[in-house]
């Protein structure tokens, strides 16, 4: 009798495990796309039909956040489920940085591996490579994405404006030439190639004055950092996006018969904005607008591929961005002069680098036909929660509090509830906390305004408190009117900081 019960229990446990939904999952991650950059988020000057279509059948979030207002920390949070501000060295990384994601702890892609998925990353990485800054770009570059949970990787190391401007596929730079070895240096000039400081005439896209994009010129674009050699390995900026799309489609195709997780990390609309030639001039808003159209088209191509392979119903696609928008991020590319009334941050204040809402509040649309109803969700969600949410959905335990800042909000992600986090932390130069739509920004001595990028940083030596419910544009600091609220949020923030 007992035996029968045990067998029955065993069988039932097995059934529940099988019953867990295991859709393919794709996270499409834009770079510096703002809350107001898509027409489904209210843009009228820039129309993004593919993402609009995507949003019609998807759940469009109005309060979704990255952990931080720049790239590396946001991606660190996405991968590890840990706030980047808990760890030194998680700020914007140079292109020669060592890997900052631990190889011995749980990560988002490892959650998928544990659930039996095939995992891949295609696109921008920006979380460092190898054990040290000094590394041989001409050999095996280890550790990297493959060591933190991706079975397949096709990446560029940092940003399109940082050397080395090469693609790396599973540890190896593509197009290596042993007679023309690649060297990279972020401190001293190497090689004899011209740099932006010396030869402005060679630039097809001038850098903004004193803006730090004046080192080695590659394809007429001055980069951050010096590079020598590897002439055949260097990408052409116009082809970067299409190369990523091609590799993403190939990954989907190769893994169509098993569950797969693809982290498709786009470069648009980060600088340098060099769209494929067919997109140049298409938006009328300069190259920033053009690359957003290119991004929109890319999303459409991925959706077409899923439909063609009959995978669209069984694939959960999350579209979002790594931080808020910026117009002038170092090149005179028309983003400012051809803005034409477009508002990249929409109704929000600030942008990339800012502790105001536009720094971390980003578009996020989740689409899973048949499983997620279309509509909008005001649930407060952080990308740091993807790790625990997927782990929970798959029934995978996360041990030793390894992703301690990640919360399970699976039901909010799939639209079963509009209730997400009870509180949210934002990070850019200082920390802010949002609870019940009251936002407290910690005082900071930092600059209130970044002239280089024309950004309101949101930093102030005073306490700031905003009521996002009726002041989403953060215009009225009501800290002095509500000292009790300030004290409460300050205390909660201190607790979170001390927490893990
Ligand atoms: C900044 C760069 C900016 C951009 C940013 C990283 C200067 C003056 N500015 O340091 O152009 O590359 O880093 O952007 O060099 S992120 O989206 O990857 O965080
Ligand atoms: Ca970014």
């Amino acid at each position: 009798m007992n035996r029968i019960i045990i067998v029955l229990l065993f069988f039932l446990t097995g059934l529940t495990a099988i019953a867990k939904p295991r859709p393919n999952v794709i996270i499409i991650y834009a770079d510096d796309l703002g809350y107001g950059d898509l027409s489904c988020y209210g843009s009228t000057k820039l129309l993004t039909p593919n993402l609009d279509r995507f949003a019609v059948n998807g759940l469009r979030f109005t309060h979704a956040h990255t952990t931080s207002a720049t790239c590396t920390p946001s991606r660190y949070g996405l991968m590890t489920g840990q706030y980047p501000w808990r760890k030194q060295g998680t700020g914007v990384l140079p292109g020669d940085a060592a890997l900052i994601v631990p190889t011995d702890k749980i990560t988002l892609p490892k959650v998928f591996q544990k659930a039996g998925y095939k995992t891949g990353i295609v696109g921008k990485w920006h979380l460092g490579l190898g054990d040290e800054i000094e590394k041989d770009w001409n050999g095996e570059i280890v550790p990297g994405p493959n060591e933190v949970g991706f079975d397949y990787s096709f990446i560029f190391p940092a940003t399109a404006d940082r050397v080395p401007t090469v693609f790396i596929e599973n540890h190896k730079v593509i197009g290596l030439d042993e007679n023309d070895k690649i060297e990279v240096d972020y401190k001293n000039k190497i090689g004899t190639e011209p740099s932006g400081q010396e030869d402005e005439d060679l630039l097809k896209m001038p850098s903004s004055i004193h803006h730090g994009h004046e080192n080695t010129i590659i394809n007429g674009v001055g980069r951050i950092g010096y590079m020598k050699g590897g002439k055949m390995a260097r990408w052409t900026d116009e082809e970067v996006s299409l190369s990523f799309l091609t590799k993403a489609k190939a990954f989907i195709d190769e893994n169509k018969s098993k569950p797969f997780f693809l982290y498709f990390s786009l470069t648009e609309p980060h600088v340098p904005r060099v769209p494929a030639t067919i997109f140049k001039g298409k938006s009328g808003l300069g190259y920033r607008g053009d690359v957003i159209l290119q991004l929109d088209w890319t999303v459409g191509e991925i959706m077409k591929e899923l439909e063609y392979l009959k995978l669209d119903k069984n694939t959960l696609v999350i579209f979002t961005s790594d931080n808020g928008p910026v117009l002038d991020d170092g090149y005179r590319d028309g983003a400012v002069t051809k803005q034409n009334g477009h508002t990249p941050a929409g109704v929000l204040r600030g942008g990339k680098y800012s502790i105001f809402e536009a720094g971390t509040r980003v578009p996020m649309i989740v689409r899973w036909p048949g499983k997620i109803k279309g509509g909008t969700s005001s649930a407060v969600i952080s990308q740091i929660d993807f790790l625990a949410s997927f782990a929970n959905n798959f029934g995978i335990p996360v041990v030793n509090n390894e992703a301690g800042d990640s919360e399970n909000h699976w039901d909010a992600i799939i639209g079963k509830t509009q209730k997400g986090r009870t509180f949210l932390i934002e990070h850019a130069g200082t920390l802010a906390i949002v609870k019940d739509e009251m936002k407290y920004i910690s005082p900071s001595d930092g600059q209130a305004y970044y002239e280089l990028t024309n950004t309101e940083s949101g930093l102030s030596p005073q306490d700031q408190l905003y009521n996002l419910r009726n002041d989403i544009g953060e215009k009225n600091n009501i800290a002095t009117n509500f000292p009790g609220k300030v004290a409460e949020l300050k205390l909660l923030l201190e607790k979170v900081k001390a927490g893990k």
Side-chain angles (χ1 to χ4, degrees):
M1 184 65 185
N2 272 351
R3 244 187 168 168
I4 295 173
I5 292 174
I6 289 167
V7 170
L8 207 66
L9 274 177
F10 196 72
F11 181 68
L12 282 176
T13 330
L15 264 190
T16 5
I18 294 165
K20 295 261 182 216
R22 294 204 314 163
N24 306 308
V25 175
I26 304 179
I27 296 179
I28 307 180
Y29 209 51
D31 192 1
D32 298 3
L33 187 76
Y35 192 71
D37 271 326
L38 304 176
S39 33
C40 51
Y41 276 85
S43 149
T44 53
K45 306 282 177 192
L46 189 60
L47 301 180
T48 48
N50 290 290
L51 276 155
D52 289 359
R53 237 185 332 267
F54 183 92
V56 166
N57 303 312
L59 187 59
R60 195 176 62 83
F61 286 79
T62 56
H63 214 328
H65 291 255
T66 66
T67 63
S68 315
T70 47
C71 172
T72 301
S74 293
R75 285 158 202 259
Y76 179 85
L78 174 73
M79 287 296 123
T80 63
Q82 286 275 359
Y83 288 126
W85 42 264
R86 293 198 193 282
K87 189 174 156 174
Q88 287 280 321
T90 54
V92 175
L93 290 178
D96 60 353
L99 178 70
I100 59 167
V101 179
T103 52
D104 58 348
K105 298 214 165 65
I106 191 73
T107 60
L108 180 64
K110 282 187 194 168
V111 166
F112 285 97
Q113 282 182 332
K114 282 178 191 237
Y117 280 57
K118 192 88 176 166
T119 59
I121 169 175
V122 173
K124 168 174 176 166
W125 176 235
H126 212 183
L127 289 166
L129 293 168
D131 288 322
E132 296 180 38
I133 292 176
E134 297 295 321
K135 59 186 134 272
D136 182 6
W137 292 95
N138 308 282
E140 293 257 307
I141 305 164
V142 187
N146 298 74
E147 284 61 50
V148 300
F150 290 106
D151 299 316
Y152 172 76
S153 67
F154 181 91
I155 58 163
F156 69 48
T159 56
D161 55 350
R162 284 175 173 75
V163 299
T165 56
V166 294
F167 295 126
I168 301 174
E169 189 167 33
N170 298 325
H171 306 133
K172 278 259 186 182
V173 169
I174 292 192
L176 283 175
D177 174 359
E178 62 174 53
N179 297 315
D180 187 28
K181 297 238 156 134
I182 299 171
E183 280 179 52
V184 170
D185 201 312
Y186 269 74
K187 290 207 184 86
N188 304 305
K189 183 172 177 187
I190 49 169
T192 52
E193 285 174 83
S195 66
Q197 291 104 319
E198 304 150 358
D199 266 302
E200 274 220 23
D201 284 356
L202 294 176
L203 298 173
K204 66 176 167 195
M205 185 177 285
S207 27
S208 317
I209 301 160
H210 308 307
H211 219 326
H213 291 102
E214 295 131 347
N215 302 152
T216 307
I217 299 174
I218 297 167
N219 300 321
V221 179
R223 314 282 163 161
I224 306 176
Y226 296 98
M227 176 176 181
K228 171 182 171 191
K231 295 233 173 49
M232 295 305 281
R234 299 176 187 186
W235 72 56
T236 309
D237 295 84
E238 279 87 345
E239 70 165 9
V240 169
S241 183
L242 199 56
S243 305
F244 286 157
L245 175 62
T246 307
K247 290 291 181 179
K249 279 162 70 173
F251 177 82
I252 294 170
D253 197 25
E254 271 156 37
N255 296 292
K256 58 179 180 270
S257 51
K258 31 188 127 81
F260 64 80
F261 166 60
L262 171 64
Y263 170 39
F264 186 24
S265 175
L266 312 177
T267 179
E268 299 101 327
H270 194 281
V271 295
R273 299 159 185 141
V274 189
T277 306
I278 52 167
F279 284 98
K280 286 178 184 159
K282 223 179 158 192
S283 68
L285 300 183
Y287 288 154
R288 184 173 187 279
D290 297 345
V291 297
I292 293 175
L293 295 189
Q294 177 173 282
L295 169 161
D296 180 64
W297 175 82
T298 303
V299 173
E301 290 303 294
I302 291 290
M303 299 320 291
K304 265 195 225 161
E305 184 72 7
L306 293 176
E307 275 159 35
Y308 172 70
L309 296 171
K310 300 197 171 30
L311 294 177
D312 55 316
K313 295 237 157 45
N314 191 33
T315 304
L316 186 162
V317 185
I318 301 177
F319 175 86
T320 189
S321 172
D322 71 337
N323 54 252
V326 59
L327 291 177
D328 182 348
D329 209 13
Y331 298 96
R332 275 181 270 140
D333 59 8
V336 175
T337 51
K338 297 186 182 164
Q339 195 181 353
N340 194 24
H342 175 61
T343 47
V347 291
L348 307 179
R349 188 169 179 185
K352 182 176 182 178
Y353 309 113
S354 175
I355 195 69
F356 286 136
E357 283 297 282
T360 65
R361 197 189 291 217
V362 286
M364 174 166 135
I365 313 167
V366 185
R367 188 180 182 276
W368 188 10
K371 294 290 191 332
I372 297 182
K373 277 202 215 92
T376 45
S377 173
S378 56
V380 179
I381 286 286
S382 170
Q383 292 167 0
I384 209 170
D385 300 328
F386 291 166
L387 195 157
S389 302
F390 280 106
N392 206 278
N393 175 53
F394 296 138
I396 288 169
V398 176
V399 290
N400 301 332
N401 217 6
E402 273 185 11
D405 298 314
S406 184
E407 296 180 0
N408 168 30
H409 290 294
W410 176 251
D411 285 349
I413 291 171
I414 63 165
K416 270 198 187 161
T417 169
Q418 293 252 338
K419 176 143 182 38
R421 290 186 146 253
T422 48
F423 69 85
L424 171 92
I425 312 284
E426 300 179 19
H427 167 225
T430 187
L431 296 181
I433 183 163
V434 181
K435 185 169 181 276
D436 298 327
E437 291 304 272
M438 296 298 275
K439 173 170 172 180
Y440 167 71
I441 305 179
S442 289
S444 158
D445 293 333
Q447 283 172 277
Y449 182 73
Y450 300 141
E451 267 177 42
L452 278 179
T453 50
N454 195 8
T455 308
E456 289 185 298
S457 71
L459 303 179
S460 157
Q462 257 88 52
D463 284 326
Q464 293 177 78
L465 184 73
Y466 297 98
N467 183 349
L468 299 179
R469 202 167 274 122
N470 56 32
D471 181 23
I472 199 170
E474 295 165 283
K475 291 288 180 221
N476 304 307
N477 179 8
I478 51 173
T480 46
N481 309 4
F482 296 96
K485 198 39 130 191
V486 168
E488 179 200 324
L489 292 176
K490 220 180 212 174
L491 188 68
L492 181 57
L493 182 57
E494 285 312 315
K495 270 197 191 147
V496 178
K497 276 162 79 174
K500 286 128 203 162

